Each structure stands twice: as C-alpha cells, then as structure tokens.
C-alpha cells in the first residue's frame, strides 16, 4: 500500500495546520480559496499578499492561508484593503467577501473603490443567500428562489431585483479595471480570472473584481447532485459567466 | 507554524487504479462526505466507502477497474481530500 509518501495536494500557500477547513461539506468557498491558493503559488507572491475576509462564511478563512490576514467588519473588507494598499503599495491586497457583505451593507465601498479605480483585488462569493446567518434572502437571491425569508420564492414586485455585480462594476469602472464573473463549476476558468485580476493589481492598472458563483448545500438544502445542478445550470441563467471588462478591452 | 503533524496526515487509504498506472489516495481526515466528487466522475467510478471521514460520514473509494486517473475528483474536492498520483508522470 505505501510507496513514496503521498500527501494531500493543497496549495503551498494554504495553512496546513488549519485543515480540514471550517466550511461545510460541499461548500464552494473551499474551491474559490483553492483556486486563489494555486494562483498565489503560481505567481510566487505568498510573502506579499494581504488577505482580508469579511463577516459571513468568508470569515471562516481567517486562518486559511499562510499569508498576513485581517478579518474585518461586515461589508468593510474593501475599504480596509484599500487602506492597506495605499499605506504600502508593494503589498498585494485581496478583499474576500460574500454577496451580502459586498452587495448589501458594503455596496457603497464596492462602488467607490471601483469608481476611484483603487489598485486592489476584490473576490466576491455569490451563493445567493446570507449563508452564515441561516440562509435569508440576499441581494443575489434570484427571482422565484426560495430562501428562509422568501418561503414562496423571491417576488420581484415586493423584494425588487437581484444585484448584477460585475455588470454594475464594469459599467462604472475606468480604463485599467478588470471585471469578471466565474464559477466554481468551471474551476480552471475561475482560476484564470483570479490570476488575471491579481496580475492586474500587480501591474498597477486598476480595480480588479471577480464574482464567483458558489455553492451552499447547507442553506440550499441540496444533495450533491442538486448542488451541482443549481450552480452549474440554474445560477448562470441569471448570472452570466465571463469577462466584463479587461484593460485594452478584449473580453472573453 | 504551530503544528507539525496535522491529524489528517496520519491516515491515508491508497488504491491502485487504471491498471496499476496510478494511485488514488483518500485522506479520511479531510473528507467531509459531500459527494461532489462522485457526481463529477466521468467514469462513475466512485462509490461510498465504509471508511468514515472527519465528520463520521462515508468517504469515497474508486472502482479500480473504472477509474482512469483523470483527476477530476481531485480538482473538484473543496477539501483536497483526494490525491491522484500517476506513475508515468511523476510530479513534484
Ligand atoms: C454590521 C453587521 N450587520 C449584520 C451582521 C449579521 N450578519 C452576519 S453574516 C451576514 C450575512 C452573510 O452573508 P454573505 O455576505 O452573503 O456571506 P455568506 O455567509 O453567504 O458567505 C450578516 C447579515 C453583522 N455581523 N454585522
Ligand atoms: S453555510 Fe453555506 S456558505 Fe457557509 S460554510 Fe456552510 S455551505 Fe459554506
Ligand atoms: S480520477 Fe477520474 S475516473 Fe478516477 S475516480 Fe477520479 S474522477 Fe473518477
Ligand atoms: S473526497 Fe472531497 S469531494 Fe469527495 S466526498 Fe470527500 S470531501 Fe467531498
Ligand atoms: Mg452569501
């Protein structure tokens, strides 16, 4: 049975001592952070990265990486990372947040950072709910989608429309910004988007924003098959995957 | 770093697959039994195992006849609980 020692293929930038991580079984946060970890390794920037996580399930990543990490208040990760970047532009700052944190309570920060063209990378995990607090409706809950607070499905007349983040950020962002929506169901592509977003920051070009479609089997109450179906087939109908703004303008 | 020997390294279950050209290893101390890997296996090679994972739920084990060592399960596992080692391409 034993040949050479076989080890788990965790990214080098992961903190092995904090694994298994604290996310639920099948949680997409683990896959977004796996893609990010591989990018940090490939760009060889572990000693330059400052990782900021929000309140929400993203906070469960406070000891996820062996990089300098700060856990902020709900919605405030973007301005904290902007501040760190302004104080020390040599650092590579990554703001990691949920859809509630980024599009509800923290939307003003997202809008202003995008508009100022702050040289940071923001990664927002869209799981269509306020996951940590028990699966309430979020700005990203889709029309008709059932959640803890929309038991009959989200009614647009009552609750308004969901937020299309990358579309909004791309509309207000300036030349030099990078904006994309990826999905954990397309892991390689998501990783490419994250890599481009961090390289864009390293090149000092502008604000870089990635939304990642992700899973929350706990609050969706889905088994593995339905979890994949939701993220792979249902979510992209409302949240199209792709690049929304690239410097020079060659979106894929 | 604080810890030298994480608990999950103490147990690894390895199976020769793909006519002996590769090894499938599961680390039960990392596997949360979510089943994402099983759904994505193009060969339908993964079954639930009697070995239990970190939360006391079944882990997965491959059918050595069916597994082609394609690595999809390794990629989709959010917990890095699966390692595929191909003996032809020795990686790091
Ligand atoms: C200022 C403030 N308001 C509200 C809360 C309660 N709260 C904690 S997590 C959360 C929402 C989390 O949802 P999201 O940002 O989508 O992250 P997820 O858990 O889904 O990854 C809320 C409203 C809080 N902690 N602080
Ligand atoms: S509640 Fe949902 S988002 Fe939070 S850790 Fe669990 S699966 Fe992930
Ligand atoms: S390596 Fe490929 S064929 Fe083998 S169990 Fe994993 S997904 Fe299935
Ligand atoms: S190996 Fe990974 S993907 Fe498969 S059931 Fe275990 S935790 Fe889930
Ligand atoms: Mg959320």
């Amino acid at each position: 049975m034993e040949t050479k020692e076989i080890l788990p293929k965790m990214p080098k930038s992961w903190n092995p001592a904090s694994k298994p991580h604290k996310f639920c079984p099948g949680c997409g946060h683990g896959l977004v952070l796996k893609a990010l970890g591989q990018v940090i390794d490939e760009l060889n920037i572990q000693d330059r990265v400052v990782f900021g996580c929000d309140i929400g399930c993203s906070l469960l990543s406070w000891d996820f990486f062996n990089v300098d990490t700060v856990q902020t208040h709900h919605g405030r990760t973007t301005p904290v990372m902007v501040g760190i970047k302004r104080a020390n532009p040599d650092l590579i700052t990554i703001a990691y947040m949920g859809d509630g944190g980024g599009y509800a309570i923290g939307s003003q920060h997202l809008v202003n950072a995008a508009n100022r063209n702050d040289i940071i990378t923001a990664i927002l995990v869209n799981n269509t709910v306020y996951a940590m607090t028990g699966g309430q409706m979020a700005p990203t809950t889709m029309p008709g989608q059932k959640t803890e607070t929309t038991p009959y499905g989200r009614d647009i007349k009552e609750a308004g429309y969901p937020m299309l983040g990358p579309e909004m950020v791309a509309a207000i962002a300036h030349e030099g910004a990078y904006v994309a929506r990826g999905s954990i169901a397309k892991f390689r592509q998501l990783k490419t988007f994250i890599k481009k977003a961090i390289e864009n920051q390293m090149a000092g070009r502008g604000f870089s924003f990635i939304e990642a479609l992700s899973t929350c089997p706990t609050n969706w109450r889905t088994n593995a098959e339905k979890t994949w179906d939701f993220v792979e087939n249902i979510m992209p109908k409302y949240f199209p995957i792709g690049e929304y703004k690239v410097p020079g303008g060659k979106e894929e | 770093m604080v810890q030298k020997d994480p608990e999950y390294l103490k147990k690894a279950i390895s199976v020769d697959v793909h006519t002996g050209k590769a090894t499938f290893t599961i680390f039960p101390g990392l596997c949360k039994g979510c089943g994402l890997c099983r759904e994505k296996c193009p060969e339908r090679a993964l079954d639930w195992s009697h070995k239990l994972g970190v939360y006391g739920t079944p882990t997965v084990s491959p059918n050595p006849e069916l597994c082609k060592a394609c690595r999809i399960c390794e990629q989709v596992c959010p917990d890095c609980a699966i390692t595929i080692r191909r003996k032809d391409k020795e990686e790091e």
Side-chain angles (χ1 to χ4, degrees), chain A residues 29 55-58 74 98-101 105 127 129-133:
Chain A
H29 275 286
I55 294 275
C57 288
S58 72
H74 193 36
D99 38 42
I105 193 168
N127 53 19
V129 286
Y130 281 16
M132 173 151 274
T133 45

Side-chain angles (χ1 to χ4, degrees), chain B residues 21-22 85-90:
Chain B
K21 292 202 278 285
R85 175 179 280 178
R86 297 181 67 123
K87 293 171 188 168
D88 47 345
K89 296 181 230 154
E90 214 39 72

Side-chain angles (χ1 to χ4, degrees), chain A residues 70-93:
Chain A
V70 52
Q71 201 263 296
T72 77
H73 290 291
H74 193 36
R76 312 304 175 208
T77 307
T78 300
V80 171
M81 292 323 234
V82 167
I84 293 172
K85 182 73 179 184
R86 284 173 179 234
N88 187 349
D90 288 337
L91 297 174
I92 298 160
T93 59

Side-chain angles (χ1 to χ4, degrees), chain A residues 60-199:
Chain A
L60 299 173
S61 64
W62 63 269
D63 62 352
F64 198 97
F65 294 104
N66 266 329
V67 308
D68 288 338
T69 301
V70 52
Q71 201 263 296
T72 77
H73 290 291
H74 193 36
R76 312 304 175 208
T77 307
T78 300
V80 171
M81 292 323 234
V82 167
I84 293 172
K85 182 73 179 184
R86 284 173 179 234
N88 187 349
D90 288 337
L91 297 174
I92 298 160
T93 59
I94 299 168
Y96 187 69
M97 67 200 81
D99 38 42
Y103 294 154
I105 193 168
S107 56
Q108 78 275 37
H109 301 305
L110 183 61
V111 165
N112 285 296
N115 180 56
R116 287 189 306 251
N117 207 25
D118 275 309
I119 318 289
I120 67 157
T121 301
I123 301 174
L124 184 147
V125 171
N126 177 357
N127 53 19
T128 72
V129 286
Y130 281 16
M132 173 151 274
T133 45
Q136 296 85 357
M137 182 180 73
T140 44
T141 300
M142 295 178 288
Q145 185 184 340
K146 287 183 181 162
T147 69
E148 204 61 25
T149 46
T150 56
Y152 303 107
R154 179 176 185 155
D155 177 359
I156 292 309
K157 282 201 213 85
E158 234 175 58
Y161 285 92
M163 172 79 101
L164 295 171
E167 287 86 339
M168 186 268 290
V169 171
I172 61 170
H174 299 273
E175 181 51 38
Y178 179 83
V179 183
R181 178 186 285 120
S183 168
I184 58 130
K186 294 185 174 208
F187 184 83
R188 272 170 214 272
Q189 184 196 50
L190 174 64
K191 192 177 148 185
T192 305
F193 290 167
I194 292 176
K195 195 171 198 173
K196 284 180 160 185
I198 293 179
E199 284 171 337

